[in-house]
Amino acid sequence: MTEADGLRQRRPLRPQVVTDDNRTPEAKGGSSFSGRVFRATFLMLAAFLTIPLLGALVLLDSPIDPEPLSFKEPPLFLGVLQPNTKLQQAERLFENQLVGPESIANIGDVMFTGTADGRVVKLENGEVETIARFGSGPCKTRDDEPACGRPLGIRAGPNGTLFVVDAYKGLFEVNPWKLTRDGRKIYFTDSSSKWQRRDYLLLLMEGTDDGRLLEYDTQTKEVKVLLDHLRFPNGVQLSPAEDFVLVVELAMVRIRRFYVSGLMKGGADVFVENLPGFPDNIRASSSGGYWVSMAAIRANPGFSMLDFLSERPFLKKVIFKLFSQETVMKFVPRYSLVLELSDSGAFLRSLHDPEGQVVTYVSEAHEHSGHLYLGSFRAPYLCRLRL
């Protein structure tokens, strides 16, 4: 054996790297088969879920036909708007004895409100007494509202009488809006000629501009349109000097002003815009300003779903093709916010319940005898906060 042959025999073996190419044909073929089965199963499952969804998007009609709306960036929750828990100091009254006390009025120390089951009730000495009902039962679900009725705004008249308005039955000698001191003029809103009250979320999402501010003359029995083309007009409040009427335009997150006397009579402008939430009712405050309740907030910093959807009408249509109003409401944060405005519309103070622990779905803030009474369009109670 030569020296070269010996060196070749002593050369160390190279390490072997095992790859798919080294495996037996059976192992390689089995792995490929398992991968194909997984991919096929995944694709079948995706098709099973996607095809019905696409079919629903194409075939189902959306109940709304929204237009794109553009809002300014919401005001930062700083300074006057700094989040707090002041509303959590409120106490609940008449819990589980009434549902949806939307609006509140006082005659002396006796309180009145309208409820979701179509009643106007008197609240006195811890008792709830029904004093009026404009519709007929049963009044158990939202679908019963047209027959049952739904009292909303309620005010005390100048002669100790109560004025109430029902969203379905009309205006009774009980007014949810503000009377002038002589009791002659009643100012109120018609939120939409298309949508009923029970479809308030559809009205908000569609942003229909068919709302109106109206004036009713109790002597001539005439109704006059003061403002039209409003997007979801809601609460109304007459100024202390009775020279203008404020009307909440919920879908535009602002408050409009219409002049009913003086040099500006017949004119209109924006009283305050870009509110930190979607306003519901407005009431006078003892400071000479106004209390405004927010049905939903526009968090900043944070995410506002309603702001996000405002410029995306296609997404709105898709959402209401697939989900009911009640389902969508579950995604709306239960953040309660009440804002006090000055007589010129400046933000004075804000009261918060960030988790909706005590005050939920706040619809109105009514000040009386050093307390703020908080109505709600859904909660089964009334709240009272000492100021």
Side-chain angles (χ1 to χ4, degrees):
M1 180 172 62
T2 67
E3 183 178 355
D5 292 334
L7 289 172
R8 282 195 295 269
Q9 289 182 7
R10 290 194 298 272
R11 182 178 298 162
L13 295 175
R14 294 178 180 176
Q16 300 294 310
V17 179
V18 178
T19 66
D20 285 343
D21 294 334
N22 301 121
R23 294 175 183 170
T24 62
E26 294 78 11
K28 184 177 180 180
S31 175
S32 299
F33 177 75
S34 299
R36 288 196 299 271
V37 170
F38 173 78
R39 286 192 295 271
T41 303
F42 177 79
L43 291 174
M44 289 178 63
L45 181 61
F48 178 78
L49 296 174
T50 302
I51 291 175
L53 179 61
L54 292 176
L57 294 179
V58 172
L59 298 177
L60 292 178
D61 291 328
S62 175
I64 60 174
D65 185 20
E67 299 177 2
L69 300 176
S70 181
F71 299 143
K72 295 180 180 179
E73 180 182 349
L76 288 169
F77 276 39
L78 298 173
V80 172
L81 296 178
Q82 183 71 39
N84 56 61
T85 57
K86 292 180 180 178
L87 287 182
Q88 293 181 6
Q89 300 171 19
E91 58 178 323
R92 293 179 175 180
L93 306 177
F94 306 101
E95 191 162 7
N96 296 321
Q97 297 182 59
L98 43 75
V99 177
E102 167 86 13
S103 184
I104 307 159
N106 280 89
I107 298 178
D109 290 328
V110 180
M111 189 170 295
F112 301 86
T113 188
T115 60
D117 57 1
R119 297 180 298 153
V120 177
V121 298
K122 179 173 71 172
L123 308 176
E124 186 178 20
N125 299 324
E127 300 291 330
V128 179
E129 178 185 349
T130 301
I131 63 170
R133 184 189 291 274
F134 309 125
S136 58
C139 305
K140 297 181 179 180
T141 69
R142 187 171 58 87
D143 292 334
D144 297 328
E145 278 194 3
C148 181
R150 179 52 163 116
L152 293 178
I154 183 169
R155 298 290 181 107
N159 301 313
T161 58
L162 199 64
F163 290 84
V164 176
V165 71
D166 188 287
Y168 300 91
K169 304 302 180 181
L171 175 63
F172 293 82
E173 185 133 332
V174 216
N175 177 23
W177 311 291
K178 180 68 177 179
L179 287 170
T180 52
R181 291 192 186 95
D182 60 10
R184 178 172 177 175
K185 301 290 181 65
I186 299 174
Y187 301 100
F188 61 100
T189 54
D190 174 21
S191 294
S192 174
S193 59
K194 177 180 179 180
W195 298 106
Q196 294 183 330
R197 194 225 69 96
R198 58 179 175 167
D199 298 318
Y200 64 88
L201 193 55
L202 298 179
L203 170 56
L204 172 59
M205 285 296 188
E206 186 172 70
T208 311
D209 66 344
D210 59 348
R212 301 177 297 171
L213 172 64
L214 304 171
E215 176 190 86
Y216 175 68
D217 191 311
T218 58
Q219 292 185 7
T220 65
K221 311 300 181 184
E222 293 178 345
V223 176
K224 181 189 300 183
V225 177
L226 302 182
L227 286 175
D228 56 9
H229 299 294
L230 300 176
R231 298 183 189 272
F232 203 161
N234 204 346
V236 176
Q237 178 63 45
L238 188 64
S239 70
E242 301 191 358
D243 55 341
F244 61 81
V245 175
L246 297 177
V247 55
V248 166
E249 194 173 10
L250 190 152
M252 295 302 293
V253 295
R254 66 186 180 186
I255 299 173
R256 300 283 297 275
R257 173 168 50 190
F258 183 87
Y259 293 90
V260 295
S261 66
L263 296 176
M264 296 288 290
K265 183 177 181 179
D269 58 15
V270 175
F271 181 69
V272 60
E273 62 180 345
N274 199 32
L275 289 165
F278 290 81
D280 196 334
N281 285 338
I282 180 171
R283 291 293 182 266
S285 73
S286 59
S287 67
Y290 306 93
W291 292 107
V292 181
S293 55
M294 304 292 170
I297 68 161
R298 306 168 63 216
N300 188 15
F303 174 73
S304 169
M305 180 181 70
L306 295 177
D307 277 69
F308 174 77
L309 293 174
S310 64
E311 296 183 358
R312 297 168 175 83
F314 174 74
L315 283 181
K316 292 182 182 181
K317 296 178 73 171
V318 169
I319 288 172
F320 284 97
K321 281 186 177 185
L322 302 176
F323 303 104
S324 68
Q325 293 185 73
E326 287 299 319
T327 300
V328 174
M329 276 298 296
K330 294 178 181 178
F331 293 93
V332 178
R334 292 164 61 96
Y335 196 121
S336 290
L337 172 62
V338 174
L339 181 64
E340 185 179 10
L341 303 177
S342 71
D343 58 1
S344 62
F347 298 174
L348 292 181
R349 58 174 160 169
S350 62
L351 311 174
H352 303 242
D353 186 344
E355 293 83 32
Q357 292 182 5
V358 178
V359 179
T360 59
Y361 303 114
V362 62
S363 60
E364 180 175 302
H366 169 75
E367 187 175 346
H368 178 70
S369 297
H371 291 86
L372 202 60
Y373 291 86
L374 303 162
S376 171
F377 58 93
R378 289 170 68 94
Y381 49 79
L382 196 67
C383 286
R384 180 174 64 187
L385 176 69
R386 181 181 295 277
L387 292 174

